[in-house]
Amino acid sequence: MYEIKFIHKDETTENPLYRPGDTAYCLTAASLSLEVGAAGELSISIPDANPAKADFVCLTDELIVYRDGVELWRGRAITRQEDFYKTGTLTCEGVLAYLYDTYYPPFEFSGSPTDFLQSVLDNHNAQVEERKQLRLGTVTVEDSNDYIARSSIEYNRTLTVLTDKLVNDSLGGYFRVRIVDGVKYLDYLASYGTTATQPVEFGVNLLDIAQNVEYSDLATVILPLGAKLEDSDGNQTDEYLTISSVNGGSIYYADEAAVAEYGWIVVCNIWEDVTEASNLLTKAKNYLAQVTSAVSSFEVSAVDLALVSAEYDYINLGDYVLIRSDPHGINQYVELTAMDIDLLDPANDTLTFGADSASLTDAQRSSDRNVQTALESLSARYTNLVATAITTDYLTAKYITADDIAALYVKADSLEAEVAAFGYLTADNAKLTYATINDLTAASATIATLQSTVAEIEAAYITVAAVDTLLADYATIATLTAYQANITELLSGYVTAGEVDAILVKAGYLTADSAAITELQADVADINTMLASYATIEYLSANYATVNDLTAYQANITELLSGYVTAGEVDAILVKAGYLTADSAAITELQADVADINTMLASYATIEYLSANYATVNDLTAYRAEVTKLVAGFVTASDVTAILVEAGYLTADSAAFTDLTAEVAN
């Protein structure tokens, strides 16, 4: 049977909290939820009469659940609620959650999974007290190369780092806390590796069964990505290693049988530590083999026969259990991945068998997050490149083209044609004649005429030599074509203005003090000015409430309101008592009656008025006592008559007696 004890901080004595059959240390409800790779959760309700209720301290005291004297779970209470009858309900988390109490700084790591796990635990243990420290235990998860590369630029909780960088980042497996002689060990297991000797059988201990088949994470094709590539200078680029070089030029690897059955369904996964295409292909094949079929799981209600007979061994979390039910067509060993245990009534236990979502679905979702992060990074870089790239319009505005030169300067052929048309030279002998003029001597008979003619030609036209001289200072069409090809190649990948400027400076087309650089610097200054007007995270943290603050405030409001009744509850009480119906008119009439009663009460004398103006019963009693006391000193009429008769002043005559009596009365 189950028993619960607790230990105070910095003590070793175990104190009772729940003992079966003990009317003092009893509970009204107790349930324990366990799951492979998770901390587990305990929920218990403690009556006010339980002596442990007032003694137990949340967060610092440790609770221990025993099953037949063997520790099953250990943890701490993180929430406490109390109802109208002062029954306290505790919600508790397992020891694995202690790894949420510390943060791991930004890091870059390369080495074995065991070394990484040890490094993270060392950092955790250096921050916490001894009772929350965890030692490295058994590690059965392996990497094919016994080498991983992991990094982060953020501060994250220790358990988040271990989960994201090991379990969800291709390695899989489970974390398990194991306690030996009071020392807490953290195991990292590929599987728990145990097989239960007790089966779950229809007609024996199987109470209910439901099978779930999940197709949402099925894939038939994988796009594997490895480490980021480096350029010729050894700088990391935004491109990833793919399998194209070892996969016939394709970056995809497909399971043809699965594609034939389900169609083309792609999953992408990134292995940042893989630098060889062949290793990447091996990992891709192994990964795809895990996701090409639907994920089946069983939810079973069963009785653990070890609770009723010593002949059986307990079924434990992580065990492979034989489930046999002929009516359901099931006869197979399945891993027990979760247990919901009712500590007060084991007949309500529920067992979950099948593939653990943390090792399959969550791993894929983590991979999707990694891919998405990579895509977002590329998208941001693309946006930045587009924003800073030198466009064709920019080049057109800044630099002269071949067409511009052609429009401004004439070609030699055009010059000769125009000279011939003008009448000074023929088209056939223009070059020859022009050369002959240069060879003429000063003694030629026609020198003056020719010189005059040449002067006129030189004044109106440009010579071929002069054109060549002018063109020597400008790029040729071939050069401009090559330059345009270079620009086109550069723009196809969108380079930044800084990178183009560097290329142009090196080629001699652009100086370091280019107007383009100045404009780009001005844009950067504008961006810095804009950023200066935005609130920082520190400002928001200092001036606005966080979600946690609001949640805590809501919890306080809820706790305060728990002691009050709502208007609806008051109405229900009045209706039940016969003072109020649901009809709004009746409520109005009741309010009118109350008003009438108040009016009537206003016309009645108050207690203060009566006390001031009228004698009370006590007053009259006292007055009567005083009168009696006074009368005790006087004689009655009969006494007077007897005295008078005896003295002879009065006879028995009735008339005289009556008159005397009347006088005495007067």
Side-chain angles (χ1 to χ4, degrees), residues 402-419 431 461-468 470-471 476-477:
D403 292 337
D404 294 331
I405 293 177
L408 293 174
Y409 302 99
V410 297
K411 296 180 180 180
D413 294 342
S414 299
L415 177 61
E416 291 175 359
E418 292 185 21
V419 171
K431 291 183 178 180
Y461 298 95
I462 187 169
T463 65
V464 173
V467 169
D468 290 340
L470 288 172
L471 290 178
T476 64
I477 294 176

Side-chain angles (χ1 to χ4, degrees), residues 29-89:
S31 62
L32 177 63
S33 296
L34 302 177
E35 184 178 353
V36 290
E41 180 178 298
L42 173 69
S43 177
I44 56 176
S45 296
I46 312 174
D48 190 51
N50 189 323
K53 179 174 178 288
D55 192 29
F56 179 80
V57 180
C58 287
L59 203 61
T60 59
D61 289 356
E62 284 189 340
L63 296 105
I64 308 172
V65 177
Y66 287 98
R67 184 178 62 185
D68 288 349
V70 178
E71 182 172 331
L72 181 63
W73 178 90
R74 182 183 296 224
R76 62 185 177 184
I78 56 174
T79 65
R80 182 171 189 162
Q81 295 179 326
E82 193 165 288
D83 64 14
F84 181 80
Y85 301 101
K86 302 185 73 174
T87 297
T89 299

